[in-house]
């Protein structure tokens, strides 16, 4: 919760007490078999040119079957990958196998179908030195060289650091070679902001907010595709602390998607294609499939553009741009070039589109429709029906003491109808997130736990009402207090859950507007409740005074009608106020 929300939240905590913890997510590392051949991490950044780490061996002459101790050392580093390769074919497969010395810091990998032919780190714990044994195979080449990739930080790493060459007896040594990687040229900069001209006529556009102008609105997220022969020109811009990206997907979920990243790095932007497997970090691919790459940074807005062929048959991870896909547009923070989990739901189109087909100008939503219904129904239930029902039951019994409706007093029938509506709305809204996700969310903090509690208490209320004792019996007082306590607890927990839910990714309402508005609703309800309590106290005091003066009693005095009229006016104003808050929230939900 942001600092700007703390002041109004203190007011809210007077009404109820709650706390929220933020879960911390870690990222495993070390299983890098996908990089066996290239030995290059998929970090999307250029490797460092001059190595500052070294590889040492305990002997340079070997026979098949020998165990040679290998040491990798240098300044502190997080990750590493070490292989031995034939000097005459350094781009080929690894040779030999490794044996571990310390299983806590290193692990064996299978590369090129050869078991234990590489060794890598087990965790991101920083190291100064690692040691292991290399076992020469029976069919070992005459000359073998050790190569190492070392990662200091996500965007600071060295690829294929050349180690010592070891040789079999009676073979002439060969000089070591420099195998440094070339650093790609930084893309040229754009010179002006993207224009929405042509959206819907010559190019396919996605804009958020709808119809925003990226030329003049720095908060506009903009993505366009313009077909150019057998290629597509892509333009993307938006406010981003670390990166902006888009992905093409066959479904509503991130995972198994063709993605494109524009990551802010120092004073430039790295532009790379990537592939997203499941809910993991994007696997950055070679930028060779992109051309005419350009970028621009200004006033916190990241802009990037590139061209790619509509079809790239050689890569299954690059989707055919002639097909139809859901389109995601995401932004977030990055640390040392590593993309952090986005703090809000990506923008997603409401249906599949062919971006190289008929040009359209569309928007999107950062909240799935089913989650919007979940939030809307909870707001209706706990901001309107339950609040009005409680006010009527508490203060309006004397207003309609004898009037009946279908055999029951009017106040009771209204109260019961509103509460049954609350139960139905809550039950439907409770089920919707499980239909959407299919499981109990682990990223929503306390919100789902509070929701389960509210659902239990909500169902418990009508069950208790079925066993309500008759009036004037000893157990009626116990029921009244139990009924009041259960309902009050449900309302407090429900409002707490709504406070938390408004800032979850799936329904992230505008900050800090959502907190101020919810606090306003709570204060509005407390104010009306206290007003009616004070009004009742004054009437009771006046009634006692009249009895003492033997003038009459309130039940038959003109002041009774005046008091009832005041309550009806307050109720009308209260209902109008609740509806105003409700409409405001529903409009906000519709906009995200």
């Amino acid at each position: 919760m942001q600092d700007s929300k703390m002041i109004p939240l203190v007011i809210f905590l007077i009404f109820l007490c709650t706390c929220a913890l933020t879960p911390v997510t870690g990222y495993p590392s070390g299983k890098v078999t996908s990089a066996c051949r290239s030995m290059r991490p998929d970090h999307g950044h250029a490797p460092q040119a001059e190595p500052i780490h070294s590889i040492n061996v305990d002997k340079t002459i070997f026979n098949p079957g020998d165990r040679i101790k290998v040491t990798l050392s240098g300044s502190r580093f997080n990750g590493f990958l070490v292989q031995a390769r034939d000097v005459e074919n350094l781009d080929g497969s690894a040779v030999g196998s490794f044996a571990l010395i310390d299983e806590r810091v290193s692990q064996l990998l299978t590369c090129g179908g050869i078991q234990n032919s590489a060794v890598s780190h087990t965790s991101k714990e920083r190291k100064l030195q690692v040691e292991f044994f290399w076992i020469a195979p029976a069919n070992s080449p005459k000359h073998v060289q050790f190569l190492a990739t070392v990662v200091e930080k996500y965007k600071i790493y060295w690829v294929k650091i050349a180690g010592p060459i070891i040789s079999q007896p009676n073979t002439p040594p060969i000089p070591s070679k420099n195998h440094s990687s070339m650093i790609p040229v930084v893309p040229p900069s754009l010179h002006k902001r993207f224009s929405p001209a042509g959206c819907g006529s010559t190019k396919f556009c996605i804009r958020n907010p709808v119809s925003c102008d990226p030329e003049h609105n720095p908060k506009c997220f903009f993505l366009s595709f313009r077909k150019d022969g057998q290629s597509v020109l892509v333009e993307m811009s938006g406010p981003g602390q670390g990166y902006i990206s888009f992905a093409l997907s066959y479904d509503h979920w991130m995972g198994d998607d063709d993605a494109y990243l524009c990551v802010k790095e120092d004073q430039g932007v790295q532009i790379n294609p990537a592939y997203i497997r499941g809910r993991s970090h994007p696997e950055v691919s070679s930028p060779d499939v992109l051309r005419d790459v350009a970028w621009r940074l200004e006033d916190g807005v990241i802009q990037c553009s590139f061209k790619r062929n509509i079809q790239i048959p050689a890569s299954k991870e690059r989707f055919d741009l002639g097909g139809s896909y859901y389109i995601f547009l995401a932004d977030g923070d990055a640390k040392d070039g590593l993309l952090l989990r986005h703090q809000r739901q990506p923008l997603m189109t409401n249906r599949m589109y062919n971006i190289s087909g008929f040009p359209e100008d569309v928007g999107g939503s950062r909240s799935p429709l089913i989650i919007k219904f979940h939030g809307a129904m909870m707001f209706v239930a706990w901001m309107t029906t339950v609040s009005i029902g409680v006010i009527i039951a508490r203060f309006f019994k004397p207003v309609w003491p004898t009037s009946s409706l279908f055999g029951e007093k009017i106040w009771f029938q209204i109260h019961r109808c509103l509460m049954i509506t609350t139960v139905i709305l809550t039950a439907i809204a409770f089920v919707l997130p499980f239909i959407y996700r299919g499981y109990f969310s682990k990223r929503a903090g306390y919100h789902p736990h509070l929701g389960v509690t509210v659902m239990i208490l909500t169902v418990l209320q009508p069950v208790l009402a079925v066993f309500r004792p008759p009036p004037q019996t000893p157990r009626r007082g116990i029921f009244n207090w139990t009924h009041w306590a259960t309902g009050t607890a449900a309302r407090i927990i429900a409002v707490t859950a709504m406070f938390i839910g408004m800032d979850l990714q799936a329904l992230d309402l505008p900050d800090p507007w959502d907190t101020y508005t919810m606090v306003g609703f709570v204060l509005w309800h407390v104010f009306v409740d206290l007003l009616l309590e004070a009004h009742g106290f004054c009437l009771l005091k006046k009634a006692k005074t009249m009895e003492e003066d033997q003038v009459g009693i309130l039940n038959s005095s003109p002041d009774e009608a005046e008091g009832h009229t005041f309550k009806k006016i307050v109720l009308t104003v209260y209902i109008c106020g609740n509806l105003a808050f409700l409409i405001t929230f529903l409009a906000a939900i519709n906009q995200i």
Side-chain angles (χ1 to χ4, degrees):
M1 192 169 292
Q2 299 177 358
D3 293 339
S4 62
K5 297 185 178 183
M6 297 307 297
I7 295 176
L9 196 56
V10 169
I11 301 175
F12 168 68
L13 289 176
I14 297 174
F15 180 65
L16 57 92
C17 180
T18 185
C19 64
L21 299 177
T22 303
V24 178
T25 305
Y27 300 99
S29 58
K31 298 293 185 180
V32 292
T33 52
S34 60
C36 278
R37 180 167 292 276
S38 67
M39 296 189 70
R40 180 178 181 133
D42 289 332
H43 291 185
H45 301 274
Q48 305 298 304
E50 297 298 330
I52 59 175
H53 303 83
S54 61
I55 308 172
N56 296 295
V57 294
D58 61 352
K59 58 182 180 180
T60 57
I61 304 297
F62 73 94
N63 289 300
D66 283 357
R67 292 168 63 93
I68 297 176
K69 186 176 182 180
V70 182
T71 302
L72 173 63
S73 60
S75 64
R76 292 185 182 275
F77 56 95
N78 292 336
F80 66 90
L81 175 64
V82 175
Q83 294 182 12
R85 294 190 179 182
D86 185 351
V87 170
E88 297 181 3
N89 185 19
L90 290 176
D91 293 327
S93 300
V95 298
S97 61
F98 288 90
L100 301 179
I101 294 178
D102 188 348
E103 295 182 356
R104 295 173 301 175
V105 298
S106 56
Q107 62 181 330
L108 300 174
L109 301 178
T110 298
C111 285
I114 304 174
Q115 190 173 7
N116 303 335
S117 58
V119 60
S120 72
H121 55 286
T122 58
S123 70
K124 290 186 176 181
E125 182 179 354
R126 296 179 69 78
K127 318 158 187 66
L128 286 171
Q129 177 178 292
V130 289
E131 296 178 325
F132 26 80
F133 290 106
W134 179 74
I135 304 171
N139 58 345
S140 177
K142 296 180 180 180
H143 303 282
V144 174
Q145 184 172 28
F146 293 96
L147 302 176
T149 290
V150 178
V151 177
E152 180 179 306
K153 294 182 180 179
Y154 186 80
K155 68 176 182 179
I156 302 178
Y157 61 91
W158 294 261
V159 175
K160 290 186 178 180
I161 298 174
I165 296 175
I166 60 175
S167 306
Q168 295 194 45
N170 303 319
T171 56
I174 60 175
S176 61
K177 298 179 181 179
N178 182 14
H179 300 283
S180 61
S181 302
M182 292 189 65
I183 302 176
V185 178
V186 177
S189 295
L190 298 165
H191 301 292
K192 61 179 181 179
R193 291 185 176 181
F194 296 135
S195 171
C199 285
S201 58
T202 60
K203 59 186 180 182
F204 185 99
C205 297
I206 301 171
R207 294 190 270 179
N208 181 254
V210 176
S211 300
C212 64
D213 186 348
E215 278 190 295
H216 304 100
N217 184 358
K219 294 183 179 181
C220 178
F221 285 91
F222 177 79
L223 177 63
S224 71
F225 304 89
R226 188 176 72 229
K227 187 176 180 181
D228 184 11
Q230 297 303 310
S231 301
V232 171
L233 171 65
V234 179
E235 295 179 332
M236 177 168 55
S237 70
Q241 296 297 319
Y243 72 92
I244 57 174
S245 65
F246 79 90
L248 307 177
S249 179
Y250 289 105
D251 52 37
H252 290 87
W253 295 96
M254 293 292 287
D256 300 323
D257 303 327
D258 181 10
Y260 298 85
L261 316 175
C262 297
V263 185
K264 187 189 300 184
E265 181 178 350
D266 297 327
Q267 300 302 314
V269 175
Q270 286 283 344
I271 304 172
N272 286 285
Y275 190 74
I276 303 174
R277 301 183 191 275
R279 307 288 287 180
S280 62
H281 275 72
E283 298 176 6
V284 180
S285 307
S286 169
D288 293 344
V289 296
L290 309 180
R291 62 183 188 276
D292 297 342
V293 179
W295 56 266
R296 185 172 187 257
L297 284 175
E298 184 183 42
D299 299 331
V301 177
I302 301 175
Q303 288 182 266
C304 59
S305 68
F306 57 85
K307 280 186 179 181
R308 61 146 281 191
N309 291 339
I310 294 177
Q311 294 181 334
I312 306 178
S315 176
K316 295 181 179 180
E317 297 176 349
R318 305 281 76 82
F319 294 176
D320 182 354
L321 299 186
S324 295
Y325 310 98
Y326 290 100
I327 305 167
F328 292 86
L329 183 57
D331 66 288
D333 293 332
K335 183 178 181 181
D336 295 328
L338 173 65
L339 273 62
L340 304 181
R341 187 173 184 270
H342 39 75
Q343 297 300 311
R344 60 175 178 171
Q345 195 88 348
L347 183 75
M348 184 183 70
T349 56
N350 56 8
R351 64 179 179 87
M352 302 174 82
Y353 289 98
N354 181 351
I355 59 176
S356 63
F358 183 77
E360 296 187 56
D361 189 4
V362 303
S365 175
R366 294 190 181 274
S367 179
L369 183 61
I370 194 170
I371 298 299
K372 287 186 176 183
F373 274 110
H374 165 77
M377 296 175 92
M378 285 299 190
F379 278 127
V380 171
W382 295 97
M383 291 184 67
T384 308
T385 57
V386 75
S387 299
I388 298 172
V390 168
I391 289 290
I392 288 176
R394 184 171 179 81
F395 299 106
F396 282 80
K397 293 178 183 178
V399 177
W400 302 296
T402 58
S403 301
S404 63
L405 181 66
F406 301 112
E408 294 284 355
K409 293 180 179 179
I410 289 180
W411 73 264
F412 179 75
Q413 290 286 39
I414 296 175
H415 172 76
R416 181 161 60 181
C417 288
L418 290 171
M419 292 308 169
I420 291 175
T421 303
T422 299
V423 173
I424 294 173
L425 289 173
T426 303
I428 297 174
F430 177 79
V431 173
L432 293 181
F434 292 97
I435 296 176
Y436 171 65
R437 292 197 174 275
Y439 57 89
F440 196 86
S441 176
K442 297 179 180 179
R443 295 183 180 272
Y446 283 127
H447 181 76
H449 303 281
L450 295 175
V452 170
T453 305
V454 169
M455 189 70 253
I456 293 173
L457 294 175
T458 303
V459 173
L460 185 60
Q461 281 290 75
V463 173
L464 290 174
V466 171
F467 298 98
R468 181 177 70 253
Q472 310 306 324
T473 60
R475 290 182 300 170
R476 185 57 179 255
I478 298 175
F479 165 79
N480 289 341
W481 280 105
T482 304
H483 187 63
W484 173 85
T486 304
T488 302
R491 293 174 66 201
I492 292 175
I493 298 172
V495 173
T496 305
M498 287 193 289
F499 261 99
I500 297 174
M502 292 186 303
D503 287 320
L504 295 179
Q505 281 194 2
L507 191 71
D508 189 9
L509 297 182
D511 297 326
W513 169 91
D514 55 351
T515 299
Y516 289 128
T517 307
M518 181 58 76
V519 168
F521 163 72
V522 172
L523 293 179
W524 168 247
H525 176 78
V526 172
F527 169 74
V528 172
D529 198 287
L530 292 177
L531 178 64
L532 291 174
E533 286 283 3
H535 176 258
F537 176 78
C538 292
L539 289 180
L540 182 62
K541 186 176 180 180
K542 182 182 288 188
K544 290 181 179 179
T545 302
M546 294 173 67
E547 287 178 353
E548 292 174 357
D549 295 340
Q550 298 181 349
V551 174
I553 59 175
L554 183 63
N555 290 339
S556 60
S557 70
D559 291 330
E560 178 185 13
E562 181 181 339
H564 292 172
T565 301
F566 177 81
K567 285 185 178 181
K568 292 177 181 178
I569 293 173
V570 171
L571 178 63
T572 302
V573 175
Y574 178 69
I575 292 174
C576 292
N578 278 24
L579 291 177
F581 279 109
L582 177 63
I583 292 171
T584 302
F585 274 108
L586 295 182
I589 291 175
N590 184 58
Q591 291 297 317
I592 59 176

